[in-house]
Amino acid sequence: MSTNDPLLQPFQLRHLRLRNRVMTTSHEPAYAEDGLPKERYRAYHVARARGGIALTMTAGSAAVSRDSPPVFNNILAYKDEVVPWMKDLVDACHEHGAAVMIQLTHLGRRTRWDKGHWLPVVSPSHHKEAAHRAFPKKIEDWDLARIIKEYADAAERMQAAGLDGIELEAYGHLLDQFWSPLTNELEGPYGGTLENRMRFTLDVLRAVRARVGAELIVGVRYTADERLEGGLTKAEGFEISRRLKASGMVDFLNIVRGHIDTDAGLTDLIPIQGMPSAPHLDFTGEIRAATQFPTFHAARIQDVATARHAIATGKVDMIGMTRAHMTDPDIVRKIIAKREGDIRPCVGANYCLDRIYQGGSAYCIHNAATGRELFIPHEIPPAAVKRRVVVVGAGPAGLEAARVAAERGHEVIVHEAAADPGGQVRLTARSRARQEMIGIIDWRMAQCTTRNVKFHFESYVDAEDVMAGRPDVVIVATGGLPHTEVLKAGNDLTVSSWDILSGSIQPRTNVLLFDDAGDHSALQAAQVIANSGARLEIMTPDRSFAPEVMAMNLVPYMRSLQSLDVTFTVTFRLEQVIREGSSLLAIVGSDYGGVRKERRVDQVVINHGTLPNDGLYFALKPVSTNRGAVDYARLIAGAQQPHDDNPVEVGSHPFQLFRIGDAVSARNTHAAIYDALRLVNDL
Ligand SMILES: Cc1cc2nc3c(=O)[nH]c(=O)nc-3n(C[C@H](O)[C@H](O)[C@H](O)COP(=O)(O)O)c2cc1C
Ligand code: SF4
């Protein structure tokens, strides 16, 4: 099919024809097993290859050396066993028409000595990296020779596995630790002038080329401007770009801008929701214009229009839509089918990336099939038997249940007590920085509407109302309500973070916010309070601040809250609140014992998760055929729930009852959506 769409034009990268201009840049989802890309890893990439991308840059920071141990679960490219696994992945993606490359690296100081084999961390200086905190050994001549050889060994393994190409990582890792004056304190020949600082990279490239020849595509993904005082400048970045091209050993440049040694730096380089879209695209375009060389780029290009603009204006040759493909692996297929409106939007929540830095694997906040392709397909299977499904609650869990049930062909009716859909997500999206979250709701509403789901808003139903509709299945997704009864005394003197977020209670002037959930609600309420001009102290009994928010998501909050002079107090627990005239006396203790402090404030805000809103569920439970029970073994195995035949009242219509999301217990948006997807996929 011929098309004028710039995104769908092929790109010729030397001998390699890429079928369109859309790629996923390398991103380690931490799915490796024993450092190897096994079935789960393969299924993840195959889903995107099937979805139409031209190129998948696999792994992310695949380790070339033993003294570059991953801090999360990356591929170990120094193992010979990697070859057959990579080959299976490559062959499977090739079958679907996608090219496959891999990113290789030595992390230098961006790792820890207490990982892997407990080898010392190396770098061209002793300066530690803030994010990983290891004090490196200053690299020696025998390290250089060893690591250069290990890069070539890894490249040879990837060639043996049939990859179309490799990419060397040079931002925050060993190669650019040589480039940056901030991290290179060597004397010549590897320190000092830019030529010397680039020598190690060129030595590596020379060794790689000597080993793999001219056939394998080789590129470099690098920072062309560290945006750090004393660091690599834009002028040097341009010079590096020219020198890489002039070396004749490189086939493409993959540009990033900034530094990743701190959480804040990483978040500016890979922006999240609330931050500007495509912030480094014009900069990348300048490099492409200066070098006239194949150029790749990704950084918060989430929507097709921006991606199309990037290609149409010639700023890049290949555009990365990496997180966008974690949300929807079928973007290209939908563009081709003229179904762009069906693309599930990446809302920039960064749950995916933040999780891997906490040791988890990458999951998308609102596509629970991603990373679970082996047992949850992205395409929803039609139901063998059509049933009438009543969903109560139109938050993320209820809407996902409705969407999946409708897609399966069931008749679906949704009751929502509020006037609008969204539940807690609607509250979340009231903050400007998080308003993209409403995309989770809007997309589901649009999908449900085209599948004839019947919605009843402002419809507060009881058990009789539900049963009157003669459902075959009832799914209770009624969410939760703030849990504020958490103090020894004085609960009635407090308000909840939701009261502040919803605007139903205005902040006073001197506020104590007690956060025992460590989640977004606390920090969003804190922003409302601090922005009102109030003096604010956030107190948590945890030993780290806002643990459920995670590293990159914390950055925008800290930037605003620190600038508003908010006080952060960890390891202290609010115990009781006492009224004293027009003010409140807060009594504070600690889980460590032995302390008692006081705070005199005029408002206490509690953030302590939710309690399930479960009245309807318990009313329906005794009259349902399964008494609300879930067969966990079947749920996990992706099998249908059993049709238990507990007795029902004579004349009443038998129905199965399930509850999902926060109506069960306070969790998060991903958990709510996952509850719904895996249950309804097999109804
Ligand atoms: C889970 C995850 C892991 C990542 N790991 C790497 C990595 O190892 N190496 C790398 O160069 N980039 C990594 N990235 C960054 C992506 O390649 C990309 O630059 C970033 O996601 C911005 O592009 P996007 O807005 O299209 O997602 C990772 C991204 C994600 C989401
Ligand atoms: S978790 Fe958020 S940022 Fe990551 S892929 Fe999903 S929607 Fe996009």
Side-chain angles (χ1 to χ4, degrees):
M1 188 186 68
S2 76
T3 166
N4 295 329
D5 190 337
L7 280 178
L8 299 181
Q9 304 310 308
F11 180 63
Q12 196 67 36
L13 183 60
R14 290 187 39 223
H15 54 273
L16 181 67
R17 183 181 160 89
L18 298 169
R19 60 178 157 176
N20 57 53
R21 303 305 184 98
V22 183
M23 68 181 287
T24 50
T25 52
S26 104
H27 58 294
E28 179 49 66
Y31 299 156
E33 292 154 67
D34 310 317
L36 303 170
K38 296 191 177 175
E39 290 85 356
R40 180 186 186 194
Y41 215 109
R42 179 166 67 231
Y44 170 78
H45 282 284
V46 167
R48 278 131 203 92
R50 193 190 295 122
I53 53 170
L55 165 64
T56 178
M57 186 69 71
T58 58
S61 317
V64 300
S65 304
R66 284 168 184 76
D67 61 345
S68 172
V71 272
F72 45 88
N73 185 12
N74 303 64
I75 292 176
L76 302 178
Y78 59 77
K79 284 187 166 182
D80 287 334
E81 306 95 282
V82 81
V83 174
W85 289 106
M86 249 355 261
K87 185 167 184 337
D88 286 350
L89 186 158
V90 170
D91 290 348
C93 290
H94 279 172
E95 265 180 41
H96 292 284
V100 187
M101 302 191 191
I102 190 170
Q103 181 182 74
L104 300 175
T105 204
H106 191 296
L107 292 161
R109 66 177 191 155
R110 191 174 168 74
T111 183
R112 295 183 56 88
W113 47 265
D114 57 358
K115 297 278 171 192
H117 299 284
W118 285 59
L119 297 171
V121 165
V122 288
S123 192
S125 79
H126 290 297
H127 297 307
K128 76 167 188 174
E129 190 215 46
H132 293 88
R133 299 204 302 274
F135 292 101
K137 148 190 152 161
K138 204 192 266 189
I139 200 160
E140 296 178 68
D141 48 0
W142 59 268
D143 291 314
L144 296 176
R146 170 178 61 80
I147 295 169
I148 290 168
K149 177 178 174 302
E150 286 165 343
Y151 265 104
D153 292 343
E156 188 177 355
R157 282 183 201 104
M158 297 310 149
Q159 190 174 39
L163 279 109
D164 299 291
I166 61 168
E167 163 184 277
L168 308 184
E169 206 277 15
Y171 63 101
H173 293 193
L174 184 61
L175 292 186
D176 65 300
Q177 286 162 29
F178 277 86
W179 298 357
S180 173
L182 291 174
T183 45
N184 185 341
E185 291 189 341
L186 300 174
E187 291 173 357
Y190 289 98
T193 62
L194 181 63
E195 185 181 358
N196 283 351
R197 284 181 275 134
M198 281 192 74
R199 191 179 308 283
F200 181 64
T201 301
L202 294 173
D203 285 353
V204 167
L205 282 167
R206 218 168 280 117
V208 165
R209 277 291 178 211
R211 196 73 71 81
V212 299
E215 278 308 295
L216 194 69
I217 299 284
V218 177
V220 183
R221 187 174 207 205
Y222 62 102
T223 178
D225 176 5
E226 274 193 298
R227 301 174 109 190
L228 262 182
E229 204 182 326
L232 205 68
T233 62
K234 177 176 173 180
E236 283 180 308
F238 275 58
E239 186 53 30
I240 287 170
S241 308
R242 280 188 280 269
R243 286 176 189 228
L244 286 174
K245 176 186 175 183
S247 76
M249 296 185 282
V250 168
D251 301 311
F252 66 87
L253 309 176
N254 188 353
I255 308 298
V256 303
R257 187 185 200 189
H259 59 103
I260 59 171
D261 54 329
T262 59
D263 292 344
L266 180 65
T267 311
D268 287 332
L269 189 137
I270 305 178
I272 66 169
Q273 60 183 203
M275 297 172 79
S277 166
H280 311 308
L281 178 62
D282 290 344
F283 172 80
T284 302
E286 286 180 53
I287 293 190
R288 188 183 180 279
T291 57
Q292 297 293 316
F293 204 58
T295 302
F296 303 176
H297 174 66
R300 201 159 142 75
I301 289 132
Q302 290 152 287
D303 59 292
V304 172
T306 310
R308 195 172 277 134
H309 160 81
I311 299 294
T313 52
K315 291 182 197 298
V316 294
D317 298 286
M318 293 294 295
I319 194 71
M321 297 183 77
T322 303
R323 285 170 294 180
H325 274 87
M326 297 196 82
T327 321
D328 192 334
D330 292 317
I331 292 176
V332 174
R333 208 151 62 160
K334 289 177 181 171
I335 297 174
I336 293 170
K338 306 223 176 300
R339 287 176 49 220
E340 275 179 40
D342 276 341
I343 294 172
R344 188 186 314 223
C346 172
V347 297
N350 214 52
Y351 188 63
C352 49
L353 191 47
D354 265 332
R355 272 183 56 87
I356 61 173
Y357 282 103
Q358 302 239 125
S361 48
Y363 290 125
C364 172
I365 196 166
H366 79 125
N367 186 346
T370 294
R372 299 188 176 104
E373 284 83 0
L374 284 178
F375 58 100
I376 303 187
H378 285 278
E379 268 172 26
I380 295 181
V385 179
K386 310 290 179 218
R387 305 168 83 193
R388 177 178 295 183
V389 179
V390 170
V391 179
V392 185
L399 286 182
E400 177 72 346
R403 174 188 82 87
V404 178
E407 179 120 16
R408 302 201 65 213
H410 297 304
E411 179 192 350
V412 186
I413 299 132
V414 180
H415 294 279
E416 165 59 49
D420 299 298
Q424 282 186 56
V425 171
R426 185 158 291 276
L427 204 57
T428 296
R430 283 175 67 96
S431 298
R432 181 130 48 92
R434 305 202 75 210
Q435 65 191 14
E436 283 166 69
M437 293 290 279
I438 206 67
I440 294 172
I441 303 305
D442 289 346
W443 180 76
R444 286 182 169 73
M445 283 302 291
Q447 294 292 304
C448 285
T449 305
T450 53
R451 287 170 182 79
N452 298 321
V453 173
K454 288 197 194 70
F455 283 98
H456 300 278
F457 290 104
E458 296 182 306
S459 171
Y460 188 89
V461 286
D462 61 18
E464 277 185 14
D465 300 329
V466 171
M467 285 159 67
R470 298 179 69 76
D472 302 313
V473 181
V474 177
I475 298 176
V476 175
T478 42
L481 291 168
H483 181 20
T484 51
E485 303 288 305
V486 295
L487 306 179
K488 285 184 199 150
N491 287 304
D492 55 322
L493 301 173
T494 68
V495 301
S496 76
S497 53
W498 285 28
D499 292 329
I500 299 288
L501 271 176
S502 65
S504 65
I505 300 230
Q506 294 305 308
R508 305 288 295 268
T509 54
N510 184 8
V511 184
L512 176 65
L513 193 165
F514 178 59
D515 177 20
D516 203 2
D519 58 11
H520 282 276
S521 308
L523 298 190
Q524 287 185 254
Q527 280 183 323
V528 174
I529 297 164
N531 279 324
S532 75
R535 192 160 69 190
L536 173 65
E537 176 178 2
I538 310 175
M539 179 179 287
T540 171
D542 286 317
R543 68 195 148 84
S544 69
F545 187 65
E548 304 297 329
V549 172
M550 302 192 278
M552 292 171 72
N553 265 283
L554 191 61
V555 170
Y557 288 120
M558 292 310 283
R559 282 189 171 147
S560 74
L561 295 175
Q562 284 189 337
S563 71
L564 292 164
D565 217 16
V566 170
T567 304
F568 304 95
T569 304
V570 292
T571 71
F572 286 95
R573 178 179 289 284
L574 176 65
E575 293 186 340
Q576 49 181 308
V577 177
I578 300 164
R579 172 155 307 281
E580 280 201 347
S582 60
S583 61
L584 299 173
L585 185 67
I587 309 295
V588 175
S590 158
D591 294 351
Y592 298 94
V595 290
R596 186 182 186 278
K597 290 168 181 268
E598 292 181 354
R599 299 282 196 276
R600 203 166 295 278
V601 293
D602 57 16
Q603 191 173 49
V604 173
V605 180
I606 304 270
N607 184 64
H608 195 284
T610 58
L611 285 176
N613 189 15
D614 52 13
L616 177 67
Y617 169 79
F618 282 107
L620 288 167
K621 184 174 165 173
V623 289
S624 63
T625 53
N626 63 330
R627 304 293 192 255
V630 182
D631 184 326
Y632 283 159
R634 284 172 163 265
L635 184 78
I636 292 164
Q640 214 175 37
Q641 289 296 307
H643 286 259
D644 303 282
D645 281 324
N646 285 312
V648 291
E649 254 178 58
V650 181
S652 72
H653 185 73
F655 66 92
Q656 282 180 301
L657 174 70
F658 300 103
R659 82 179 152 144
I660 55 175
D662 282 6
V664 182
S665 63
R667 285 167 290 157
N668 65 16
T669 308
H670 179 82
I673 286 174
Y674 187 25
D675 272 5
L677 177 64
R678 64 174 156 180
L679 175 77
V680 182
N681 248 348
D682 298 302
L683 270 187

